[in-house]
Amino acid sequence: MADGEAGIDRVLTAPPPTFTEDEAASFARALFGVEGTAHEVASERDQAFRIEGDRPAILKISNAVEDPARLDMEALAAQRVVQLDPDLPVALPRQVPGTDAYRAPTHKDGATHWARMYDLLPGRSVTGSTLSDAAIRDWGTMAARVGRALRGFWHPSAGRVMLWDVQHALRLRPLLDSIRDPEARALVSAALDRFERTVTPVWPSLRAQVLHTDLCASNVLVDPAGKVTAIIDFGDASWSALVVDLAAVLETATDGRQRDSDEFFRACRIVVDGYEKVTPLEPMERRIIGELLAARMCAAIVVPSSRAGLYADPDSLMPFLRSQGVEVLRMFTELGWDEVTRRMGGREPGEGWSVSALAARRYHAVGPAMTPPTYREPLHLVRGDGVWLIDADGRRYLDAYNNVPVVGHEHPRVVEAIVRQARRLNTNMRYLHETALEVAERLSATTGGALDTVMFVNSGSEANDLAWRITRAVTGGSGGITTDFAYHGITEAINALTPEEWQGGSQPEHVRTWRPPDTLRGFDGSLDDLDRAIRELVEAGHPPAAAILDSVLTSDGIIDLDPALAAELVRRTHDAGALWIADEVQSGYGRTGAAMWGYQRLGIEPDIVTLGKPMGNGHPVAAIITRRELTERFSPTGEFFSTFGGNPVAMAAALAVLEVIDDERIVAHAGEVGEYLVGLMREVAAQTPIIGEVRTVGLAVGVEIVKPGTTEPDAAMTKEIVEGLRSRGVLIGTTGRHSNTLKIRPPLMFQREHADQLLECLTVVLAR
Ligand code: PMP
């Protein structure tokens, strides 16, 4: 019976055995057939002897109260680790000759002690600041490997309660009186209180398994370079939370660094890096590392003090560990626990900032040129989940605005694809990698084979920039044609094709615009307008190279182009010697609910298709799809290189998005929900004089707001509606030249119930 008071294992309170070195040498010979002299080495609760001889070994003689089943588990755990990770230098048990056992009985003073023989591995016990960064990082990696190797290991003795295992930290409380120094006692007491408040409640949710639990310098030896040469003792192995192993490593890695908190936490983070090379931590595990380390420090102070009665000189017991413990707890107390968590890397973004403080900080950090946050009271979002965005206070917002996460915010397939690939490899298109090729092939296939070549870049702007360069190179023209109030991107060349951004409306000399149909105001002269644009460009000495069109005309106010008109626009552009660029950054990936690409819904054949926004569901990735012949004429030497274009992580995201769109039948779904939403919207519009027109293309809906009974835009009212919806937990935007069109453009997995909720809120807001 190994359990003592309150279930705590008695091996820590029973005195260690007292065999002599001569006795040990004779056991080694008699029980294990190992010849050699014996030298006792330090051990906490057992006795251990180094047997110097032909085959150097360690003879361990257990405490009389030790449960033999535990010793079997110790042997099996060590063997399991080596079986699964043979390169780990684990000291293995030796069998008792002629048996299949790893232990043999010895007797003293009427008690039985189990003798075991372990391989003696080289190395020294080294701690703390003498270990290099590489050494502590590797130590962290080693701990993760040991944990990984033990993942599926089980033994009936794994539940033993060892005070060194931090899961039992609160059991140290009854022993606090044994600490003689009042400061140390107060520090331990406060750290245990903290543990109870923050660790105990989450403990049952942590990943758990059988672990070594004590991978500190007493059980891990290193060579002079700090490389681990021996993992020597599975005697504390228990079922515990996986992250517990990290605490033991941190105890060793930070020893000697505790008087310099910067250095202390730097070392901690490096150890965690090493650990996460093999086993990434879960957020909650990362958050409690400081408390776990503190709990180990508490044990380092309490356990020796409480055992002092067993020894002649209590202060000789682990004095260094005790003073390290006091210094660490003192430093943590001075810094405050939140700061400890932050420095351990355990604080998630979104914690600890007010919206106003963040807004001021943002203005200071990024200046006025970057787009200001939307809304009078900016949103501080910390999480996404499908159609929902969640702010720092936990409030959920229905996202009817963001078109990037087509398959929903934080779609698990996409997230995992990114994470998996990021862990494995991220390079560039100078090396062969299948994923980019698969994405390219799949994208070409979506065009029905009409466009057979894909080039990867990183943003919609870059895709358009590349497309524009190709059209210029191929046609020899220099003029560009775009719609009245289009947006196509931020590069200098594309900004010129972006009337929405023209300062003071000044139009670049080489660009002309055409006005899209405006049914509300009875304008249908788009074709004539295009002809005029072409003519003016030619006259200005800029024969057109390309016309570029966002197939749903988002910035122009979301307009449902008539296919016959679209076909004629393309024909006249081609007749003028220019190429047609379908900018699918907004309209692609199923937005129209009718086809993968907006141009397909219009039935036209573009020369170049440009992709962006939804392509990685939020991960930056973009591309063009075009004809091989155009790319050959653009870059005969094949020297178009974009550092990040086509990188394996971006491609993993892009591939996952394509898969999910297929698997979840996103395109058809967008069509159905779009129709449902617009039906509801038209009902509301019929009773709302300030709604001039509802326009829709799939799940892109534009609602034009006007002064009642007129066609006069009302931008102020539009803004009020957007703000009103925001305060009711629904996000939409505005668009159009006069900023008087509500822009509703949700993730494509938006459901009918979300449409209902949006309309309910809109009705309330409009009523005001
Ligand atoms: N084209 C269109 C139609 C867009 O809406 C945008 C972005 N709003 C872009 C191109 C530019 O994409 P990015 O911001 O990724 O550069």
Side-chain angles (χ1 to χ4, degrees), residues 459-462 464 487-490 550 583 585-586 613:
S459 67
S461 301
E462 280 186 42
N464 284 334
Y487 184 90
H488 294 293
I490 59 173
D550 163 5
D583 178 341
V585 171
Q586 292 273 354
K613 288 183 186 281

Side-chain angles (χ1 to χ4, degrees), residues 103-158:
R103 56 184 160 88
T106 62
H107 305 283
K108 183 147 194 151
D109 303 332
T112 301
H113 299 266
W114 295 97
R116 292 162 297 142
M117 188 68 84
Y118 273 83
D119 287 338
L120 179 67
L121 297 181
R124 298 177 302 139
S125 175
V126 175
T127 72
S129 43
T130 49
L131 289 164
S132 68
D133 287 359
I136 61 175
R137 186 183 293 118
D138 286 354
W139 202 307
T141 305
M142 175 274 295
R145 285 170 62 185
V146 172
R148 181 179 60 184
L150 285 174
R151 203 182 275 169
F153 180 81
W154 171 247
H155 192 279
S157 299

Side-chain angles (χ1 to χ4, degrees), residues 359-373:
R361 184 178 166 196
R362 180 191 200 275
Y363 186 79
H364 197 73
V366 307
M370 284 211 80
T371 200

